Amino acid sequence: MTSHTSAAGTTAGTGSSVRIRILAVVAATIAAAAVWLIADAAGASLAVDQGDGPKDLTFGSVFLFAPGAALAGWGLLALLEKFKPAGALKLWTVIASVVLVLSFGLPFGMDSSGGTRVAQLLMHLVTGVTVISVLRRSSTGATDR
């Protein structure tokens, strides 16, 4: 396994870091999919209307948006580690947390049932918490926690 030293002076195995980051993407997707499956089994309509007619929140959309969010988080963390190694993890954690909190507003911006809204909020929560907690463990700047 190769390793490198960041400007912050920490050594991290790049192979290990990549594996952990892949795990974050997979785990966030599985967590969001589990919420969708439970909501569907519980009878939530899983449909939203943004003004142009109802649209179903499909199981497939979970496999688009959850990993998309996780990959965006991974990309931002990698950029911060490269261009601002000192303090990258703290800055990324603040940004990721703010994005997660702001994402809670999305379900309220569309017309949907209470069950659908709760499912959306839970999908955002499990995706965000999984991504933040797992990617924090993978950071080359893990000492600035």
Side-chain angles (χ1 to χ4, degrees), residues 1 5 9 17 25 28 35-38 41 58 65 80-81 87 95 100 105 117 126-128 133-134 138:
M1 173 173 27
T5 303
S17 179
V25 174
V35 171
W36 188 95
L37 288 168
I38 292 166
T58 65
F65 291 107
L80 289 172
E81 287 171 338
I95 293 169
L100 173 58
R117 200 167 277 141
V126 299
T127 300
S133 62
V134 176
S138 75

Side-chain angles (χ1 to χ4, degrees), residues 32-125:
V35 171
W36 188 95
L37 288 168
I38 292 166
D40 186 54
S45 69
L46 297 172
V48 298
D49 189 346
Q50 296 177 303
D52 57 349
K55 303 248 188 302
D56 290 333
L57 295 175
T58 65
F59 192 64
S61 66
V62 172
F63 286 92
L64 176 66
F65 291 107
L71 289 168
W74 177 353
L76 177 60
L77 180 57
L79 286 171
L80 289 172
E81 287 171 338
K82 180 175 175 115
F83 295 109
K84 190 188 181 327
L89 184 59
K90 282 183 183 178
L91 179 58
W92 178 83
T93 302
V94 169
I95 293 169
S97 298
V98 168
V99 168
L100 173 58
V101 169
L102 290 175
S103 80
F104 293 149
L106 293 174
F108 295 102
M110 42 188 99
D111 186 25
S112 62
S113 70
T116 298
R117 200 167 277 141
V118 168
Q120 285 179 287
L121 291 168
L122 286 173
M123 284 187 276
H124 286 220
L125 181 65

